[in-house]
Amino acid sequence: DIRKIQTDFIIAAQKCDYAGFDGIQIALGNYYFLTRFINPYFNKREDKYGGNTENRVRISSEIIKVIKKTMDMHVSCRINPWDVRKGGITADESIAIAQELEKAGADSIQLTARTISQIYDKGVKHPFLIYVDDLIDAVDVPVVLGGSLREMAKINDVLNNSNVEFISMSKPFVAQADFLADWKANGEGVIA
């Protein structure tokens, strides 16, 4: 079913392109289908879609190559920085995955995770900051930091005191529709 799955992703990208969108995001993070495919904990295949990092990423790389060849769209890939499972994705493995995605034509990498609560440093430091500078140094595409960024002061700190240039947010807008306007006016604040 690999070709059918890839075709479904490509058709979805074509529909977005036709509708006028200039980019898409391929969900390779959290625990969606493709995430499990690239994760060594789940993928036990012994063909060209299993085993080493390049093979496990191949299903996604082939999707990206077709999209980049046939459409003028920005392709962002959302990945986990690591896995909390023994035998899952490590930080080094995640960087290798990002490099494979970049080789295939990905235009940006966004960090996400199934859960990051297990590694929070008592809220003092965003857990991805342990990893993100290494990723930024390893790839030549923009890296977007996501994951539980809800406080303006912490976002300011990340943008001003790390190599991160891009932040992804969704939950602040659910809690506060005027989050960006408030951030621009006040620069600080906490979203409940």
Side-chain angles (χ1 to χ4, degrees):
D1 294 339
I2 286 176
R3 293 294 177 252
K4 168 75 169 87
I5 292 163
Q6 289 174 319
T7 301
D8 289 344
F9 275 91
I10 293 163
I11 289 171
Q14 288 172 331
K15 288 179 179 182
C16 291
D17 186 39
Y18 181 76
F21 291 94
D22 58 4
I24 60 165
Q25 185 175 77
I26 298 176
L28 300 169
N30 303 108
Y31 275 91
Y32 297 110
F33 176 79
L34 292 176
T35 312
R36 289 173 173 259
F37 213 96
I38 65 175
N39 191 318
Y41 179 85
F42 296 105
N43 185 337
K44 305 299 183 193
R45 297 177 69 105
E46 296 179 359
D47 61 5
K48 68 179 186 175
Y49 292 96
N52 65 33
T53 304
E54 180 182 3
N55 285 355
R56 286 187 278 91
V57 175
R58 186 180 313 275
I59 188 173
S60 302
S61 295
E62 290 174 350
I63 292 167
I64 294 166
K65 287 176 184 177
V66 171
I67 292 169
K68 295 304 290 182
K69 186 176 181 179
T70 61
M71 295 166 246
D72 183 26
M73 295 194 69
H74 179 101
V75 176
S76 180
C77 293
R78 194 170 185 189
I79 66 170
N80 295 329
W82 52 72
D83 190 22
V84 294
R85 286 183 164 78
K86 184 177 180 179
I89 294 174
T90 64
D92 290 339
E93 173 79 5
S94 180
I95 288 173
I97 289 167
Q99 290 170 329
E100 289 296 323
L101 296 168
E102 179 184 17
K103 278 196 288 188
D107 298 297
S108 63
I109 305 292
Q110 179 182 338
L111 297 180
T112 189
R114 177 176 60 91
T115 178
I116 56 176
S117 60
Q118 298 179 17
I119 53 171
Y120 259 118
D121 185 15
K122 296 183 179 151
V124 176
K125 186 174 185 180
H126 191 284
F128 291 173
L129 291 177
I130 299 164
Y131 160 89
V132 73
D133 285 338
D134 290 338
L135 178 61
I136 289 169
D137 290 342
V139 296
D140 290 323
V141 295
V143 173
V144 181
L145 184 65
S148 299
L149 290 163
R150 298 180 182 102
E151 298 175 18
M152 295 174 194
K154 284 189 179 182
I155 295 169
N156 288 336
D157 183 55
V158 168
L159 291 173
N160 292 317
N161 298 306
S162 75
N163 292 327
V164 174
E165 297 181 74
F166 301 97
I167 298 285
S168 171
M169 297 177 282
S170 60
K171 291 180 181 128
F173 303 117
V174 173
Q176 181 183 343
D178 66 343
F179 180 82
L180 290 179
D182 188 27
W183 187 17
K184 185 176 180 180
N186 300 315
E188 292 186 355
V190 176
I191 303 303

